Amino acid sequence: MKGGGVKGLAFAGALTELQKYFDFQIFVGTSAGAIAAVLLASGYDANELELLLRQTDFASFLDGYRLAAPWNVAVYGGIHPGDTIRNWVRRLLNAKIPRADRIPLHALPRRAIIYASASPFGTLTFDSQGDNEDQDADFAVRCSMSIPWLFFNQYHSGYRVVDGGLLANFPVDEFLKAHPSHRFLALYLGSSTMPPYRRRSQWADIVDIFLGRDERAVVTRHKDSTIVIDPSPIRTIDFALSEAEKDFLVLEGRRAALQYLASSGLPSAPSTATVESITERAARARRLATRARKVARLRFFVRRAPLTAVLLTLLLYYSGSMPIFVEQPFGQLVDDITSLFHHLVAGPIRVGNAVVFDGNKKYEDSGFEFSSGERMAWNDPRCDIMVAENVDRGTGINFFLPNDRPPYDDKNNARAGIAGLQANELSEVSEVPADGYRIHYFKPQPNGVYAVRTRSGRKYAVIKVVVMADDRIEFAFAFQPNGSRRFGK
């Protein structure tokens, strides 16, 4: 499994499909791949790995103080200590291998091989049944994830150790040198085609040559045993992943694995229809993730420069460059600026994917709140929309919109509702209606697009039903956090 920082979440998606056909005995990885390798070797399956990674706030791995950054880089070789990563791995290992003391690599039930970089060793191998098997498993992962200048350097036998990606980011050749006849499957994070030519700085090209080395040649040489997962637009150090971006990485991993399996000739291989369906879902999720990236960058600027936005608005007004303010009295100008400021601080439209389960079967995951993007229990007073089978009417799986009206009174004065829209995609919706919302049980249609009024009755979302199963509904959503009914255009 190739290194790739937070993009490693895609490995979990791929492995959820691969584990149905293969029983892996050795797990090999660098950097992000090292995390997956150690956790899988400790006894976690792919579904558990996906759940763990989805629930992890990767931004918490950046555990250094900003004011101390210059000192940390100069003295320790990086901004962040990375202790949070190591403690996180140790805690997860303890859940599978309960021990009162350290957990060395050789204590793992299955074999894990992890690569780091060190001078004078070159590629440094941590093998649970070989080199450095007595080293702590969490230490081995931390060594493999020592991204230069981002995380503190680690030391092994008195020598500095840095990220394995510097020398063995896609460690197929390193593995085959020691195991030349071993069958394997490799998970490669990158594009399946050459990127378009564009002029870049000499420094950027040198870094790309140094880190990428001959990876593409390795992929081509072992194409029959390599699954290519394209994680763009997610970058290695995008630690603050949104739910939409996590959904995309998992779906892209599943798509790549299913595409490989469908062409492998294995018995009971996935059908063409299955591959086409997941490909369409992954493409939709990529579009949402791309939009989420843009939103995150915009929000980064807006939250750090609200005063600049207000001053620019005033400048445009007094220079006569903002028609909406022309000929308005000063009081109206203040109101408009206040409204604009509120919109900027509230942040742009949020997008994502959600899977909500039938409350009769999985009560704790049968509700969803748009503002947080979190799934929660049916009785949680924050739920905007729930899912359950309508047993009384026998209409199968339904949405349920909490609303304080008979026969389902709500002590929290809920005002949620749902309305059908004449649209095929979320991007086609420019504005949602002010009324006409239905409440309580509502039977959606597959691929249907709907407006949802939140529990408070003051905010709105647009959803598209992606999957309807016996025990769940999956939908893509766009949420307007500032109370407006407008969604673009």
Side-chain angles (χ1 to χ4, degrees):
M1 290 173 280
K2 179 187 173 182
V6 297
K7 296 182 291 186
L9 181 58
F11 294 148
L15 289 165
T16 57
E17 302 298 338
L18 295 175
Q19 70 180 3
K20 300 173 185 176
Y21 296 85
F22 301 99
D23 181 21
F24 299 105
Q25 297 300 317
I26 304 177
F27 299 95
V28 183
T30 296
S31 194
I35 292 179
V38 162
L39 293 181
L40 291 166
S42 73
Y44 287 97
D45 64 24
N47 294 311
E48 291 175 312
L49 181 65
E50 178 188 337
L51 182 61
L52 287 172
L53 296 180
R54 278 183 176 276
Q55 293 175 340
T56 298
D57 177 13
F58 295 108
S60 67
F61 291 175
L62 306 178
D63 51 1
Y65 294 102
R66 294 179 183 176
L67 294 178
W71 171 264
N72 287 348
V73 171
V75 176
Y76 303 109
I79 299 172
H80 305 283
D83 295 338
T84 302
I85 297 173
R86 189 169 178 181
N87 291 331
W88 175 73
V89 173
R90 182 181 298 172
R91 184 173 65 256
L92 295 179
L93 291 176
N94 267 314
K96 290 292 185 180
I97 310 172
R99 291 172 64 118
D101 58 346
R102 49 189 288 269
I103 301 178
L105 283 167
H106 64 70
L108 299 177
R110 294 190 178 185
R111 191 174 184 180
I113 303 174
I114 294 170
Y115 297 102
S117 306
S119 176
F121 307 109
T123 298
L124 179 62
T125 303
F126 294 90
D127 186 343
S128 65
Q129 297 180 21
D131 295 341
N132 297 303
E133 64 178 9
D134 291 327
Q135 294 293 322
D136 289 1
D138 54 277
F139 172 72
V141 172
R142 177 63 182 81
C143 285
S144 189
M145 291 192 63
S146 295
I147 301 174
W149 299 297
L150 184 64
F151 293 114
F152 284 14
N153 296 324
Q154 299 296 287
Y155 289 86
H156 175 66
S157 300
Y159 295 98
R160 179 182 287 108
V161 180
V162 294
D163 195 283
L166 293 181
L167 296 178
N169 202 37
F170 185 49
V172 172
D173 284 347
E174 283 69 19
F175 175 75
L176 290 178
K177 286 176 185 176
H179 310 84
S181 60
H182 208 291
R183 296 179 60 200
F184 70 93
L185 272 181
L187 302 182
Y188 176 78
L189 293 172
S191 174
S192 59
T193 60
M194 286 290 290
Y197 173 78
R198 59 187 179 91
R199 293 185 180 276
R200 302 191 304 175
S201 69
Q202 183 181 16
W203 172 249
D205 281 336
I206 290 172
V207 171
D208 191 48
I209 292 169
F210 182 66
L211 295 179
R213 296 180 177 266
D214 58 350
E215 284 183 1
R216 291 187 178 276
V218 174
V219 171
T220 301
R221 193 161 58 246
H222 301 288
K223 60 182 180 180
D224 292 337
S225 300
T226 301
I227 298 172
V228 179
I229 304 170
D230 184 0
S232 62
I234 312 302
R235 299 174 299 179
T236 299
I237 57 174
D238 288 335
F239 283 88
L241 289 179
S242 67
E243 288 302 315
E245 291 163 332
K246 291 181 179 180
D247 289 338
F248 159 64
L249 288 172
V250 171
L251 282 171
E252 173 58 18
R254 290 183 58 202
R255 178 209 64 78
L258 287 171
Q259 193 170 60
Y260 172 85
L261 292 167
S263 62
S264 66
L266 290 169
S268 303
S271 65
T272 301
T274 299
V275 175
E276 289 177 349
S277 175
I278 195 69
T279 299
E280 180 182 350
R281 291 173 60 193
R284 186 186 305 117
R286 190 191 302 276
R287 291 193 294 270
L288 291 173
T290 300
R291 184 175 181 180
R293 282 284 92 202
K294 294 177 180 178
V295 165
R297 287 195 290 270
L298 177 61
R299 188 174 297 158
F300 177 87
F301 168 77
V302 166
R303 288 182 175 177
R304 285 157 180 79
L307 181 59
T308 302
V310 173
L311 293 176
L312 178 61
T313 303
L314 288 169
L315 178 64
L316 290 173
Y317 168 68
Y318 285 112
S319 67
S321 301
M322 185 167 285
I324 62 171
F325 290 149
V326 173
E327 303 298 331
Q328 292 185 0
F330 184 75
Q332 182 61 48
L333 171 64
V334 172
D335 289 342
D336 285 332
I337 292 177
T338 302
S339 176
L340 176 62
F341 180 75
H342 171 78
H343 175 74
L344 291 171
V345 172
I349 294 170
R350 301 169 191 170
V351 296
N353 273 61
V355 180
V356 187
F357 293 88
D358 181 352
N360 299 303
K361 300 176 181 178
K362 202 171 182 182
Y363 189 83
E364 68 277 9
D365 289 319
S366 60
F368 185 78
E369 181 189 36
F370 289 102
S371 63
S372 65
E374 293 182 2
R375 197 165 56 205
M376 52 195 61
W378 178 282
N379 64 345
D380 194 302
R382 297 173 295 166
C383 287
D384 295 314
I385 190 169
M386 292 94 97
V387 169
E389 180 183 357
N390 191 342
V391 179
D392 294 338
R393 296 185 181 179
T395 55
I397 199 80
N398 277 239
F399 282 130
F400 185 86
L401 288 302
N403 198 292
D404 188 21
R405 293 185 185 176
Y408 303 104
D409 296 339
D410 186 282
K411 63 181 180 180
N412 296 303
N413 196 31
R415 290 289 181 266
I418 189 168
L421 298 175
Q422 297 298 316
N424 295 315
E425 298 292 340
L426 299 183
S427 58
E428 298 175 9
V429 180
S430 59
E431 187 173 9
V432 298
D435 50 30
Y437 288 84
R438 296 178 60 181
I439 62 175
H440 302 150
Y441 282 108
F442 177 85
K443 180 70 173 180
Q445 297 300 313
N447 298 313
V449 177
Y450 302 93
V452 177
R453 187 175 60 207
T454 64
R455 190 183 195 100
S456 68
R458 296 190 296 271
K459 296 181 180 180
Y460 298 88
V462 181
I463 66 172
K464 177 177 179 177
V465 176
V466 178
V467 174
M468 287 186 65
D470 292 338
D471 65 340
R472 73 192 69 185
I473 297 179
E474 179 178 345
F475 55 87
F477 71 86
F479 171 63
Q480 176 60 274
N482 66 6
S484 171
R485 290 187 289 108
R486 293 195 59 80
F487 282 78
K489 294 185 180 181

